[in-house]
Amino acid sequence: MTGRTLAIAVAVEARKAVASRVLVSTALLLSLGVAVLAAATTAAAHAGNEQLAAKLGPLALAGGWPGLLAVAAQVTAAAGLLAFGVGLSWLYAREFTDGTITGLFALPVTRPTIALAKLIVYLVWTVVVAVLLTAVVAVTGVAITGDLPAATDWVGLGRLLALAVMTAALPVPAAWTGTIGRGLLPAIATTVALLAVAQVVVVAGGAGGWFPLAAPALWAVLPGTVSPVQLLLTATVPVGFGLLTLHAWRRLQLDR
Amino acid sequence: MSPPRIQARGLTRDFGGGAGGYGIDLEVAPGEIHALVGLNGAGKTTLMRLLLGMLRPDAGTVLLNGRPREAAEWARVGHLVETPFAYGELDGRTNLTLAARLHGVGAPEAARMVHSVLTELNLGRYAAVPARRLSLGNRQRLGLAAALQHHPEIIVLDEPTNALDPAGVILLREALVRRAAAGAGVLVSSHHLDEVARVAHRITVINRGRVIGALDPHGIDIERSFFALVHADDERAARGRPEDERRAA
């Protein structure tokens, strides 16, 4: 892998990503979905829906900016993992389902280089989505409260942005299973499994901060309960499974 | 003297149950169009995958331009195995540009190359059409263009005439003859014996994952010769395991 071949691979993957309906529609659905769900559930909880209020916790009941941001964080932690997982699964597994993987052999740009380029493009895409999501929630907040965010709300928006980026790090195992399983289904199944496990741990609380899949969500919803070290541990998931994915692409054979 | 473009020695990959490739020796010289013929499932695609690194052999070696596969200059190789390299959401021109870039071609040079191959394979009309809207035949043409546009020295094409109309078959034939004349070594697989006889300098017959003989492209009835070879090999297999299999086991 050289700087030149990586630059070529990133340019190629970026061109494919820009033309992709999957990545564009997932970005829009997640951003608008989080804002609409947060606005609707905050309004419902504030209007006296006790069951909903019990689920969402005291902050949502408060309504206004704090309520909106608290609900947006909860929805982002779950829906974000699913949406980012779908995007990442597609980035890798589509080469197998579309049959284009044969064209990625016998090239001067090696397969691990292409796999790394996909991860870089994924990272850029998730940052764009995170910014878009935060912006849409901010505009929604102004629209429903009629107020600009106060200083604490800005902190909340910043936390939402960070949560979205950290959540994007969690489904990277799907890139690996999509490669090992040579298709979209194993990747999507992995995403759903990660989501289920993360949600169970978040709901269970306790020592969930030490569990990388749950730490970002717990940090966003209950900031005091998760330490910076625990948050940093989240990085082990994308780094570990990113390396495994690169290795799988290096050793790849079309033997099944 | 320059080395063979492709040289395989004792290439073996056993998938179990009699599927795979066994002890295959093969050479493609510079300027040569070498055809592989065999029935469906004979092992043509497996052999091409072994040559291109899509499969690792259990035994045997592959040299490309005299270099082991691990040190091959892949920028000088063009291939189409099974699925055309075309992304549905991208138009013809973009697909070809990306394929050229992945073969190490610089951006300005890639633009010239794409323009030239669009003309050569009569794909100009589809340059701005997303690949997903192309007919199967035109997708195949696009895949062939991606494999040939950078004028590789080593060309490996698996069933390249699949889904092509008669005009496409002629365009492909001319494109291959031109490249071979310029020194490329071309390996094509096919089960269309007439088509292969028109273009190939050498025809190798594959059956049950083994090279079982050769056909004379200028022979009078190569279809009869082909079936005679295959039938004799199947007979041998039915009588018992051939000598080479016994040795391997």
Side-chain angles (χ1 to χ4, degrees):
Chain A
M1 189 184 307
T2 64
R4 179 170 180 268
T5 57
L6 183 60
I8 290 172
V10 169
V12 167
E13 288 305 319
R15 183 69 191 81
K16 282 153 68 178
V18 168
S20 147
R21 286 182 190 169
V22 175
L23 296 188
V24 172
S25 56
T26 307
L28 291 176
L29 274 173
L30 179 66
S31 307
L32 297 175
V34 167
V36 168
L37 265 176
T41 48
T42 314
H46 196 53
N49 185 329
E50 287 174 12
Q51 276 189 331
L52 202 58
K55 270 189 185 152
L56 295 174
L59 269 178
L61 206 55
W65 274 102
L68 179 80
L69 289 171
V71 179
Q74 288 191 33
V75 178
T76 298
L81 207 163
L82 193 60
F84 289 133
V86 167
L88 184 70
S89 298
W90 180 82
L91 270 172
Y92 284 86
R94 66 95 43 114
E95 307 290 358
F96 299 98
T97 50
D98 292 359
T100 42
I101 189 69
T102 56
L104 299 179
F105 280 83
L107 293 174
V109 179
T110 63
R111 286 185 311 287
T113 310
I114 293 168
L116 178 60
K118 284 180 183 292
L119 213 50
I120 292 170
V121 167
Y122 171 71
L123 179 69
V124 173
W125 173 67
T126 56
V127 170
V128 170
V129 176
V131 170
L132 182 69
L133 183 154
T134 310
V136 173
V137 169
V139 169
T140 307
V142 173
I144 61 171
T145 64
D147 293 324
L148 288 174
T152 50
D153 305 326
W154 280 113
V155 173
L157 282 168
R159 183 171 286 125
L160 184 64
L161 179 71
L163 170 68
V165 172
M166 285 191 283
T167 303
L170 302 179
V172 173
W176 182 61
T177 55
T179 303
I180 299 293
R182 311 275 196 273
L184 209 48
L185 262 180
I188 298 289
T190 302
T191 302
V192 172
L194 289 169
L195 176 63
V197 172
Q199 287 297 300
V200 167
V201 176
V202 167
V203 171
W210 287 109
F211 188 60
L213 292 178
L218 286 171
W219 170 78
V221 179
L222 305 164
T225 60
V226 179
S227 71
V229 174
Q230 289 173 320
L231 266 190
L232 270 176
L233 271 182
T234 302
T236 57
V237 176
V239 170
F241 282 92
L243 289 173
L244 273 177
T245 305
L246 260 57
H247 179 71
W249 274 62
R250 184 190 310 280
R251 300 285 300 162
L252 192 64
Q253 291 193 83
L254 301 184
D255 52 357
R256 43 192 147 110
Chain B
M1 207 178 101
S2 52
R5 296 292 186 211
I6 302 172
Q7 186 178 48
R9 286 281 172 267
L11 215 47
T12 298
R13 174 68 193 251
D14 189 358
F15 291 117
Y22 303 92
I24 296 174
D25 295 334
L26 184 93
E27 264 190 36
V28 182
E32 183 183 52
I33 300 178
H34 187 150
L36 287 177
V37 297
L39 300 174
N40 291 333
K44 305 185 294 290
T45 304
T46 297
L47 171 57
M48 291 187 158
R49 286 179 167 182
L50 284 164
L51 296 174
L52 292 165
M54 296 172 191
L55 286 173
R56 283 186 292 279
D58 297 330
T61 55
V62 175
L63 298 179
L64 301 172
N65 271 344
R67 290 160 167 251
R69 210 180 51 181
E70 299 72 31
E73 295 173 282
W74 292 113
R76 299 179 182 204
V77 177
H79 73 282
L80 168 52
V81 175
E82 295 193 319
T83 313
F85 188 61
Y87 294 97
E89 69 273 21
L90 302 175
D91 64 27
R93 189 186 304 279
T94 309
N95 267 303
L96 291 172
T97 305
L98 298 193
R101 300 287 286 124
L102 286 173
H103 278 97
V105 179
E109 178 63 19
R112 277 194 294 275
M113 224 170 236
V114 169
H115 178 75
S116 164
V117 83
L118 284 171
T119 310
E120 185 182 17
L121 292 184
N122 198 16
L123 277 165
R125 269 184 301 162
Y126 308 108
V129 178
R132 78 164 77 85
R133 295 217 195 102
L134 295 180
S135 69
L136 209 56
N138 281 326
R139 265 189 108 139
Q140 179 75 1
R141 269 196 216 197
L142 191 58
L144 290 167
L148 299 175
Q149 62 179 345
H150 54 292
H151 293 273
E153 292 174 349
I154 296 167
I155 298 170
V156 178
L157 304 175
D158 187 18
E159 309 280 0
T161 55
N162 267 359
L164 288 187
D165 59 17
V169 171
I170 293 171
L171 284 173
L172 169 67
R173 190 191 305 154
E174 289 170 348
L176 294 184
V177 168
R178 264 193 299 274
R179 280 160 180 76
V186 183
L187 183 67
V188 286
S189 73
S190 181
H191 37 231
H192 297 294
L193 293 168
D194 293 347
E195 179 48 43
V196 160
R198 285 210 180 97
V199 70
H201 302 107
R202 195 152 39 137
I203 304 175
T204 293
V205 183
I206 304 244
N207 196 46
R208 299 184 305 111
R210 294 161 181 82
V211 171
I212 60 164
L215 298 174
D216 175 8
H218 308 298
I220 294 166
D221 192 349
I222 63 166
E223 193 172 76
R224 183 186 291 268
S225 311
F226 169 75
F227 279 111
L229 276 172
V230 171
H231 183 66
D233 184 58
D234 286 344
E235 287 277 297
R236 260 196 312 276
R239 279 198 304 272
R241 292 188 303 165
E243 196 55 37
D244 57 343
E245 274 185 336
R246 247 195 314 268
R247 272 202 307 270

